[in-house]
Amino acid sequence: MIDGTARVGDWTEDFELFDLGFMADPYPVYSELRGRCPMAHTDRWGGAWMPTRYEDVVAIAHDSEHFSSVEVNVTPFEGVDKPLKSAPITSDPPDHTWHRRLILPFFSPRAVEGYERYTRELCRSLVDELVGKGHGDAAVDYAQQIPPRVIAEVLGIPVERTDEFVEWVRWVLELGALFPEERQVYRLKILEYFRELLEERKKNPGDDIMSYLLTQTHDGEPLRDGLILGTCTLLLVAGIDTTWSSIGSALLHLATHPDHRRRLVEQPDLMPSGVEELLRAYSPVTMARIVTKEVQINGRRLQVGDRVLLTFPAANRDPEIFEDAEEVQLDRAFNRHVAFGVGIHRCAGSNLARMEMRVALEEWLARIPDFELVADAEVTWAGGQVRGPRSVPVKFTG
């Protein structure tokens, strides 16, 4: 049996997303399950199925007939009321098509180009602060400082409130499953903030997503306030934790793999493929689907109402799809990873996330080409919906 999983008797029938060993290194578990029981199950957290093969994850993601996106949380939402629907991520066809179309203009390649200068200046200022000290936390002091400020810029909300946004998102995504009452409190904080902002934008529209949505119609009718609030909430929540987890994982990898770090420094043209490979190897996000029609997968019969986890991190380490899947190859030629999901719900903000990660790594390596983990440093992890390092203490050796 896999080491470090004493809390779990049998991962095929009793997996635990919040097992500390699993959060720190889930890949041995995924590997064992792929060969022994590729459709694992648990009764924990309301019950769920966990496919670990690429083909199964992709097939489920494409199958909106049997699997609904109405609830995408990996654990059931418990609280005073159900969470506000966050279109388009919680939308099913046919509504999903027009819900998604509403936000795409803000995340097109051309739109993302407009955010790159701000992102680069932000990264340079953060690196300046770190260089003066000669050490720092690559996660806390750098990775976690970038996406909240960038998404605030995109949404047209005050950057000065970044720390509040981070606290809210952490409680909703990272800590909320363990503390459902607190998650409800912080979900309502987000909702109340956007409600107040919506009333302000109705009176004084600006050049931002919420103001834009207020001008849009569907079937000749203005968009409902609830749809606008849910969409903006999604962009705030999804735009923070996922991206900083990817940046933090990449910096942790480079801190512990000096050969890869040197290659990216000496071969800057390798950065685009390097970013894709690091996204594949350290995919942070797992999403859920709800079964709407009885269906059988890998000999397991799923019933209506069952929760299924789209384990993109497991799919991206499937050796049937990726040669030497456990190895990071910065110049990997074939890389059809699903770090941003797949199917109709593929991440609409993937262009923005890629840009943030690329710029963050470029600016860090330009000033800090040599760094390593602090001796005996404790790297801590978050898990569940979004897996990523929360603390990566490093020292600069150049």
Side-chain angles (χ1 to χ4, degrees):
M1 191 58 201
I2 302 161
D3 293 335
T5 57
R7 292 177 57 198
V8 179
D10 182 354
W11 279 81
T12 67
E13 296 293 345
D14 185 36
F15 68 80
E16 169 58 281
L17 295 175
F18 299 99
D19 175 86
L20 293 179
F22 180 75
M23 289 196 297
D25 185 11
Y27 306 112
V29 174
Y30 292 147
S31 180
E32 179 177 315
L33 291 178
R34 241 183 256 113
R36 195 157 66 91
C37 180
M39 197 72 176
H41 184 265
T42 190
D43 288 327
R44 300 173 189 254
W45 306 102
W49 297 93
M50 183 170 71
T52 50
R53 290 179 177 171
Y54 181 98
E55 290 185 358
D56 292 335
V57 171
V58 170
I60 293 168
H62 280 289
D63 186 357
S64 58
E65 179 183 353
H66 292 91
F67 302 95
S68 170
S69 300
V70 67
E71 290 186 28
V72 296
N73 297 312
V74 298
T75 61
F77 193 99
E78 299 177 8
V80 177
D81 57 6
K82 289 289 185 181
L84 191 71
K85 298 305 179 186
S86 301
I89 202 171
T90 57
S91 304
D92 287 325
D95 288 336
H96 173 269
T97 301
W98 68 270
H99 286 172
R100 182 181 176 90
R101 190 179 297 131
L102 288 170
I103 63 173
L104 287 180
F106 287 86
F107 299 99
S108 67
R110 176 172 294 182
V112 168
E113 285 180 8
Y115 307 130
E116 180 165 337
R117 179 176 178 181
Y118 173 84
T119 305
R120 198 170 291 281
E121 291 175 352
L122 169 62
C123 291
R124 287 175 179 172
S125 68
L126 293 170
V127 170
D128 285 343
E129 295 178 16
L130 287 166
V131 167
K133 296 189 299 182
H135 63 88
D137 193 313
V140 175
D141 299 329
Y142 191 67
Q144 294 170 22
Q145 302 301 314
I146 300 165
R149 289 166 171 77
V150 174
I151 201 63
E153 181 78 2
V154 174
L155 286 170
I157 55 182
V159 175
E160 296 76 19
R161 301 191 65 173
T162 294
D163 289 343
E164 286 181 89
F165 301 150
V166 169
E167 181 184 23
W168 299 346
V169 170
R170 257 207 170 120
W171 275 102
V172 170
L173 275 185
E174 179 182 339
L175 304 171
L178 301 174
F179 305 97
E181 291 183 3
E182 286 83 353
R183 173 161 68 177
Q184 176 72 358
V185 169
Y186 283 91
R187 187 193 72 81
L188 292 175
K189 284 180 182 286
I190 296 174
L191 182 57
E192 185 58 31
Y193 173 76
F194 279 120
R195 277 178 176 154
E196 293 177 1
L197 186 64
L198 183 61
E199 293 306 312
E200 171 61 25
R201 290 292 188 265
K202 287 178 179 179
K203 299 173 185 176
N204 301 296
D207 184 20
D208 55 77
I209 291 180
M210 183 174 279
S211 298
Y212 168 79
L213 293 175
L214 282 167
T215 69
Q216 300 303 293
T217 61
H218 179 64
D219 288 340
E221 297 292 329
L223 303 184
R224 293 177 293 103
D225 284 1
L227 176 61
I228 297 175
L229 292 171
T231 298
C232 290
T233 298
L234 167 66
L235 297 179
L236 177 68
V237 173
I240 291 181
D241 201 353
T242 56
T243 307
W244 86 33
S245 293
S246 293
I247 297 171
S249 294
L251 288 171
L252 173 59
H253 178 87
L254 296 177
T256 53
H257 294 77
D259 54 332
H260 289 169
R261 189 172 66 245
R262 283 192 293 270
R263 283 197 72 188
L264 288 178
V265 170
E266 296 169 2
Q267 300 174 254
D269 290 345
L270 196 61
M271 185 62 76
S273 66
V275 165
E276 296 305 312
E277 176 67 346
L278 291 166
L279 284 167
R280 179 197 70 83
Y282 299 102
S283 307
V285 178
T286 296
M287 302 298 288
R289 296 289 185 268
I290 304 298
V291 178
T292 55
K293 293 182 181 179
E294 186 175 310
V295 64
Q296 184 167 310
I297 299 178
N298 269 318
R300 306 278 248 175
R301 187 160 294 280
L302 283 59
Q303 306 295 329
V304 173
D306 285 358
R307 187 178 304 269
V308 182
L309 308 184
L310 295 180
T311 43
F312 299 123
N316 282 336
R317 295 278 188 124
D318 188 341
E320 292 295 319
I321 304 298
F322 302 97
E323 185 177 356
D324 298 320
E326 298 296 330
E327 296 180 11
V328 171
Q329 300 175 1
L330 297 177
D331 55 359
R332 186 180 292 273
F334 177 84
N335 198 352
R336 294 177 59 187
H337 69 73
V338 290
F340 292 113
V342 64
I344 64 172
H345 286 286
R346 187 178 181 281
C347 177
S350 60
N351 291 322
L352 181 66
R354 280 190 171 98
M355 182 276 289
E356 290 181 69
M357 187 169 172
R358 172 178 55 80
V359 170
L361 295 181
E362 287 173 347
E363 293 302 325
W364 177 285
L365 292 174
R367 297 287 304 285
I368 311 173
D370 297 304
F371 61 100
E372 62 186 27
L373 280 179
V374 172
D376 300 320
E378 181 183 6
V379 176
T380 58
W381 293 85
Q385 195 88 40
V386 182
R387 176 183 176 267
R390 289 297 174 262
S391 180
V392 183
V394 295
K395 63 179 179 179
F396 311 148
T397 57

